[in-house]
Amino acid sequence: MLDAADICSKCWTLMTIAIRILDRALREDFGFQHLLWVYSGRRGVHCWVCDEAARKLSVAARSAVAEYLSLVKGGEEMMKKVVLSDPIHPFIRESLTVVERYFPRYALQDQDILGRKESVDKVLALRLHVRKELQQDFQNEKKPESRWKLIREQALRKQSTAKKGQHFEKEIMLQYCYPRLDVNVSKGVNHLLKSPFSVHPKTGRISVPIDLKELDTFDPFAVPTISLICEELDRPREGDEEEKSAETNENEKDTAERRKIRDYKRTSLAKYVKHLDQFLDGMARSWKGHLLRKSDLQKEF
Amino acid sequence: MQFPSRRRKQTSNPQTELYAHPLQFYGEPPLENMSLAEFETFAVDRLKLLKTVENLGVSYVKLSEPYAKKLESEFKNLSFPYRPEADDRKTQSGPNEYDKRRKDHISHFILRLAYCQTEDLRRWFIQQEVDLFRYRFNDLPAKQKLEFLHRNNLQYDTISVEEKKSLLDKLVNSSYAVSGITVEDQDFYKVPFQDALDLVRTRKVYLKAGYVYIPHQDIVTIVLNDFRTRLSKALALTARSLPAVHSDERLQPLLNHLSHAYVGQDYSIQKNVGKISLEQIDSLSGKSFPLCMRQLHQSLRENHHLRHGGRMQYGLFLKGIGLSLEQALQFWRSEFIRGKVDADKFDKAYAYGIRHMFGKEGKRADYTPYSCMKVILSNAPSQGDHHGCPFRHSDPELLKQKLQFYKVSPSGISQILELVKGMHYQLACQKYFELTHNIEDANFSLNHPNQYFIESQRVLGGGKDIKREMDAPQRPQEITAAKGNNAPREAATNDPQGLADMTEDLDSFFQDA
């Protein structure tokens, strides 16, 4: 049975864009350092900002951070969800740099927004006053990349002549690619959060941390499911015989404990747990450094 | 009269010191004796001022010309300080600058007593005082702004000239008001982002590694943040001293009345429970629902689903018009089942939320239906949402199509769109009311969707009364076009005549708003 809310491999790019944009902003603009990105198990990602400064933020501050990062606004009744005006804030510029990298392959090729008629209409509806001209031009030009070029040229033309604020090619790119944030989760402090390594009820996939070093090759469909994990755990352990004899001297309970702890290493979860461990190590190091500096200042030894 | 105070300055003339500057942070409470009459006048006048600030804030862009003009005339009428020293031709009669500042000071502290009691009251009071402060600070000439900063110990570091040069592009591109010249001429302050949330939230400033870079000219937002924080803390402290204040019988009636006066009818008390049947809702939605609820109802029928924001806004509205909990559960269930949700899932996932709305779960708070102000200003809709105020949150083109579909005349539509352009959303909705009910003048000032419903039912019912018994003292029985009302009052027995007169005036002021 097909669930309309499932993802396809083509739209995962949106998450890659989202992570690149938000990771940069949280680090460079806000100065946060300890960010853990986690796959939700279905079609989204969560970011856990673990800096002490972040944990101490007031509700108003959390809300302000969430708003700063929001560019796409509007419900179903709003067609044009991104409005840019001069000057274009450095945050928007940086985000556009990321979007522009992925836009041609994601939107023009994979999603073919300028190919099929309904999508073309939707795109052009975002800019009513040049719609007629573009519709005419599109009759002669069918290739999506060339159509996009025409849109850009129109935008440039309008920018040099019209009054400020004619950034529609940027607005189109952002409306199609910029991440949609669930601000309510971020604003309050009593909203329930999905824990990393929990199981997604609809897909069975484990909510695993994402290693940003391997972001471009991350495949949500390759993320282990709970059934896979169970299956892997049920497989006979290799070298079970040798281990048994080596452990005959030790306490039985101890053995069982150690076996339990190592079990996850036999499953596909191993690499994800390792990533979490590394993340936590990083946090511990910085906390130690902070304590050292503090004790230096207080001259406690 | 003992006011709660933190420290007393031992200087000889603390009050004159305090009033040397037109604006203050209200750090020190007044320490003098005054007459009850003055006490009451001051309080009531300030409340009128704050109410004006609130109304203007919804109808106009803050600090715009019409906003400023109207607010200034209110300052004049109520004798509060405005345009300090620029207009210092000593007015022949009436209070001088010192008196106005004194009034400003004392009235602020009196209202603290009335508005510290609950979270809602505190939030409202802080919001209006911050807006008021913003306006007055902006109005100060530059020299006085600086003076204010120094007096109030707002010290932040400036960045070096080299750093300014290296950040030139970013700084200029972060704010409409910052040009290359600004960067050259002015000092830029490096402020932790937590102290400049308004600028961060609206992305009007350059943010790097957790610090914002603010030109001297924009230091006002920092000041505002500081003001807000201080006031919030002070209110919490004030609340602790309340028992002592309330034990004074002269003050208690006035303070109680003050804190109830701003709240409009909140439609939380359900009348007519069960008088609406579920079959009527479809036709009612076309006839008597405001546009926001009509839209939500339509989306619900079309998609057999509404997201959380929509369920809250519409669900509470339905409660307000008289749906019982059982009816509500049946209503939502039958609609959701037509969609992707089966009966089990509904009971598990959605029924709880509906019972929560009616105060049967969790902390058992009986939530009140959203007022227009709340719908317009908070919880903006995002992808997949249909809630909010259509006049505020819809694309003007889509709004036009929708109105055409609902058979509103073309001239009516243009009038509505004009009002929307001017950001007069509630007036636009009122116009929609007038056009759909075929009347010239709505005869009421719209500020709540449930009010819309009640007024609509009145018009359609040919004036047959829907009972509007309200318990709180100042709700009138009927709204008439002319001034005046006869609100019954509870604590009238030992009220001095002066208080009764004054509070009646207060009421009529609010009803006319």
Side-chain angles (χ1 to χ4, degrees):
Chain A
M1 188 176 78
L2 227 65
D3 185 348
D6 276 337
I7 58 166
C8 68
S9 50
K10 289 183 186 168
C11 34
W12 182 254
T13 316
L14 283 177
M15 286 302 114
T16 311
I17 297 175
I19 294 178
R20 294 226 182 275
I21 290 179
L22 297 172
D23 195 74
R24 182 214 70 81
L26 288 167
R27 285 183 198 283
E28 291 176 14
D29 294 4
F30 284 99
F32 297 128
Q33 294 173 318
H34 300 288
L35 309 180
L36 182 70
W37 286 94
V38 181
Y39 172 52
S40 76
R42 194 172 61 149
R43 58 182 181 175
V45 290
H46 305 153
C47 180
W48 291 77
V49 184
C50 305
D51 295 55
E52 191 186 349
R55 284 183 272 125
K56 289 187 174 164
L57 288 179
S58 67
V59 173
R62 297 169 62 96
S63 168
V65 174
E67 300 254 355
Y68 176 91
L69 299 170
S70 301
L71 267 184
V72 182
K73 302 198 174 134
E76 289 305 297
E77 313 296 323
M78 187 61 84
M79 282 184 324
K80 192 147 175 291
K81 299 190 168 78
V82 181
V83 180
L84 298 181
S85 51
D86 279 317
I88 306 226
H89 191 276
F91 167 77
I92 301 182
R93 281 197 194 278
E94 295 282 350
S95 307
L96 271 168
T97 312
V98 177
V99 168
E100 279 168 352
R101 237 165 61 205
Y102 292 90
F103 184 78
R105 190 166 62 98
Y106 166 72
L108 298 179
Q109 281 177 30
D110 292 348
Q111 300 288 342
D112 200 21
I113 62 173
L114 289 180
R116 297 171 291 132
K117 183 171 186 306
E118 317 84 57
S119 335
V120 176
D121 285 343
K122 242 179 161 180
V123 175
L124 294 184
L126 296 177
R127 213 54 206 175
L128 293 173
H129 64 273
V130 290
R131 193 211 267 163
K132 294 261 167 58
E133 306 169 46
L134 286 170
Q135 271 174 341
Q136 284 234 330
D137 295 337
F138 281 13
Q139 306 239 340
N140 305 328
E141 191 51 74
K142 300 290 184 193
K143 265 181 73 190
E145 285 83 2
S146 321
R147 283 180 166 180
W148 180 246
K149 201 148 161 269
L150 286 170
I151 293 183
R152 291 199 95 137
E153 283 166 3
Q154 273 285 358
L156 273 167
R157 218 171 295 147
K158 291 287 170 184
Q159 257 170 59
S160 47
T161 61
K163 39 186 186 357
K164 310 184 190 140
Q166 302 294 330
H167 295 289
F168 57 81
E169 97 284 15
K170 300 189 177 75
E171 289 165 343
I172 292 175
M173 284 196 284
L174 290 172
Q175 181 150 340
Y176 277 86
C177 296
Y178 191 86
R180 273 79 171 141
L181 304 180
D182 185 353
V183 288
N184 289 320
V185 180
S186 314
K187 279 185 186 176
V189 289
N190 55 358
H191 198 287
L192 292 181
L193 305 174
K194 192 164 192 295
S195 172
F197 292 104
S198 56
V199 183
H200 195 289
K202 289 204 178 118
T203 61
R205 295 206 189 273
I206 312 285
S207 193
V208 294
I210 301 178
D211 188 347
L212 290 201
K213 294 199 281 289
E214 300 174 11
L215 179 59
D216 282 320
T217 52
F218 181 85
D219 179 8
F221 295 101
V223 169
T225 59
I226 184 68
S227 3
L228 176 66
I229 305 294
C230 291
E231 195 194 315
E232 286 172 336
L233 283 173
D234 284 338
R235 287 187 203 147
R237 300 159 57 85
E238 294 151 13
D240 218 353
E241 311 307 315
E242 308 151 35
E243 291 207 6
K244 229 179 174 163
S245 55
E247 283 158 8
T248 37
N249 299 338
E250 294 165 278
N251 190 312
E252 230 189 59
K253 188 169 172 219
D254 224 358
T255 326
E257 286 276 326
R258 224 174 288 133
R259 193 173 296 153
K260 237 190 280 177
I261 296 168
R262 273 176 308 182
D263 266 350
Y264 78 84
K265 289 195 179 156
R266 297 194 291 132
T267 70
S268 314
L269 282 183
K271 74 170 182 177
Y272 298 106
V273 177
K274 184 157 172 240
H275 181 68
L276 179 67
D277 281 339
Q278 286 170 338
F279 174 78
L280 295 174
D281 281 341
M283 282 194 67
R285 272 196 303 270
S286 92
W287 180 239
K288 248 190 241 158
H290 170 79
L291 285 176
L292 276 172
R293 280 194 297 277
K294 214 166 114 181
S295 72
D296 276 348
L297 286 174
Q298 293 171 346
K299 309 241 186 308
E300 290 166 3
F301 298 103
Chain B
M1 179 122 332
Q2 281 293 79
F3 281 84
S5 66
R6 297 203 299 275
R7 316 171 262 124
R8 292 186 198 214
K9 283 214 181 93
Q10 295 307 318
T11 54
S12 50
N13 251 333
Q15 302 302 320
T16 357
E17 237 300 291
L18 198 49
Y19 300 150
H21 198 277
L23 199 56
Q24 56 165 298
F25 262 160
Y26 307 106
E28 298 297 323
L31 301 168
E32 52 171 284
N33 294 332
M34 62 191 303
S35 71
L36 266 183
E38 207 180 22
F39 186 91
E40 285 152 10
T41 322
F42 280 9
V44 169
D45 281 352
R46 192 180 192 87
L47 187 54
K48 285 186 185 172
L49 181 63
L50 293 186
K51 203 55 172 82
T52 308
V53 167
E54 180 187 36
N55 285 333
L56 291 180
V58 178
S59 318
Y60 300 96
V61 176
K62 291 182 195 171
L63 306 185
S64 66
E65 247 235 70
Y67 179 94
K69 270 229 244 22
K70 296 205 174 214
L71 195 47
E72 222 180 86
S73 70
E74 193 70 6
F75 282 143
K76 276 197 207 130
N77 294 339
L78 296 170
S79 305
F80 280 102
Y82 70 96
R83 203 52 63 86
E85 277 144 57
D87 220 8
D88 214 13
R89 303 162 252 141
K90 301 272 188 252
T91 37
Q92 314 79 341
S93 61
N96 63 17
E97 191 61 24
Y98 176 89
D99 289 334
K100 292 187 199 167
R101 293 178 190 182
R102 177 175 165 268
K103 176 173 181 176
D104 175 47
H105 180 222
I106 297 179
S107 60
H108 172 89
F109 276 89
I110 300 176
L111 287 193
R112 276 198 197 180
L113 296 174
Y115 282 85
C116 62
Q117 303 174 59
T118 72
E119 189 58 48
D120 275 343
L121 288 175
R122 285 199 278 242
R123 200 177 302 144
W124 184 85
F125 182 65
I126 293 177
Q127 182 61 50
Q128 311 323 317
E129 285 283 343
V130 165
D131 283 345
L132 178 63
F133 187 91
R134 177 190 291 119
Y135 173 77
R136 292 170 68 192
F137 185 82
N138 254 323
D139 223 26
L140 289 176
K143 183 166 146 286
Q144 292 204 321
K145 278 193 179 118
L146 253 178
E147 211 187 301
F148 182 85
L149 288 178
H150 291 155
R151 280 166 145 260
N152 290 285
N153 295 325
L154 288 168
Q155 326 263 16
Y156 290 113
D157 290 331
T158 51
I159 59 177
S160 64
V161 178
E162 298 83 48
E163 204 178 346
K164 264 204 287 184
K165 265 217 196 97
S166 69
L167 294 176
L168 177 63
D169 263 340
K170 301 264 165 75
L171 292 174
V172 167
N173 277 322
S174 303
S175 165
Y176 186 73
V178 173
S179 65
I181 304 185
T182 323
V183 179
E184 249 192 70
D185 288 348
Q186 290 193 27
D187 274 331
F188 269 72
Y189 297 83
K190 194 170 154 183
V191 176
F193 85 89
Q194 293 91 330
D195 290 353
L197 291 180
D198 276 341
L199 290 176
V200 172
R201 176 197 315 274
T202 51
R203 228 181 289 120
K204 288 211 169 97
V205 69
Y206 179 54
L207 173 63
K208 181 170 130 184
Y211 286 91
V212 293
Y213 293 78
I214 305 193
H216 184 82
Q217 72 197 17
D218 283 342
I219 215 70
V220 60
T221 19
I222 313 299
V223 175
L224 277 181
N225 243 6
D226 208 52
F227 180 72
R228 183 185 271 124
T229 323
R230 290 187 198 205
L231 185 53
S232 186
K233 287 202 186 120
L235 283 181
L237 280 175
T238 312
R240 289 192 217 155
S241 340
L242 268 187
V245 175
H246 275 171
S247 65
D248 189 324
E249 307 156 341
R250 298 170 295 172
L251 298 185
Q252 202 200 13
L254 174 68
L255 292 179
N256 273 338
H257 192 85
L258 283 174
S259 60
H260 283 117
Y262 92 92
V263 177
Q265 189 145 329
D266 62 6
Y267 303 94
S268 61
I269 301 171
Q270 281 194 293
K271 310 132 275 177
N272 311 317
V273 179
K275 293 243 177 90
I276 310 268
S277 78
L278 295 185
E279 293 76 43
Q280 291 176 285
I281 294 190
D282 279 323
S283 89
L284 280 177
S285 79
K287 290 194 291 193
S288 291
F289 282 9
L291 194 58
C292 55
M293 302 303 172
R294 188 175 185 178
Q295 180 173 290
L296 279 167
H297 182 75
Q298 195 173 336
S299 308
L300 178 62
R301 288 283 191 230
E302 276 172 25
N303 305 316
H304 311 299
H305 189 271
L306 272 184
R307 297 179 105 224
H308 182 258
R311 295 200 298 274
M312 288 303 289
Q313 187 174 321
Y314 189 37
L316 287 172
F317 170 77
L318 289 175
K319 181 173 84 151
I321 67 174
L323 237 59
S324 69
L325 173 58
E326 291 67 39
Q327 286 179 301
L329 283 168
Q330 197 188 333
F331 174 73
W332 291 98
R333 198 166 193 267
S334 62
E335 196 57 54
F336 271 48
I337 289 184
R338 289 204 198 115
K340 295 193 205 156
V341 175
D342 62 46
D344 265 343
K345 173 149 190 228
F346 179 85
D347 290 332
K348 255 190 266 184
Y350 296 101
Y352 179 92
I354 298 171
R355 290 210 307 281
H356 201 284
M357 261 190 247
F358 278 76
K360 301 284 184 253
E361 299 282 357
K363 67 178 177 185
R364 306 279 196 278
D366 201 3
Y367 292 94
T368 56
Y370 297 167
S371 64
C372 287
M373 198 89 80
K374 178 149 187 185
V375 171
I376 292 173
L377 293 178
S378 56
N379 199 17
S382 56
Q383 195 95 356
D385 286 328
H386 295 272
H387 63 265
C389 171
F391 301 102
R392 162 78 177 87
H393 295 117
S394 288
D395 212 79
E397 268 307 305
L398 284 184
L399 179 61
K400 182 170 166 190
Q401 286 170 30
K402 193 165 278 209
L403 292 171
Q404 282 166 342
F405 181 73
Y406 290 150
K407 309 235 181 28
V408 178
S409 71
S411 66
I413 295 185
S414 338
Q415 284 177 33
I416 291 183
L417 291 179
E418 266 310 303
L419 287 168
V420 165
K421 214 158 149 209
M423 293 167 70
H424 307 301
Y425 309 117
Q426 284 149 278
L427 292 177
C429 194
Q430 239 171 268
K431 175 89 355 211
Y432 169 79
F433 181 95
E434 288 162 6
L435 292 164
T436 50
H437 290 74
N438 251 318
I439 57 177
E440 273 296 318
D441 194 356
N443 253 340
F444 64 94
S445 196
L446 180 65
N447 55 35
H448 201 293
N450 286 87
Q451 176 195 23
Y452 185 109
F453 179 80
I454 291 180
E455 293 294 335
S456 168
Q457 289 284 289
R458 277 172 93 229
V459 168
L460 294 175
K464 229 183 333 173
D465 250 346
I466 295 209
K467 278 298 207 90
R468 302 206 275 118
E469 338 89 33
M470 287 311 332
D471 312 337
Q474 74 277 20
R475 311 326 187 206
Q477 305 302 322
E478 276 162 75
I479 294 185
T480 53
K483 264 195 206 213
N485 55 71
N486 42 2
R489 216 164 303 289
E490 288 176 346
T493 42
N494 51 0
D495 259 31
Q497 184 58 29
L499 178 59
D501 282 345
M502 180 170 314
T503 46
E504 263 184 41
D505 282 341
L506 189 60
D507 271 350
S508 65
F509 172 80
F510 288 127
Q511 298 312 336
D512 283 347

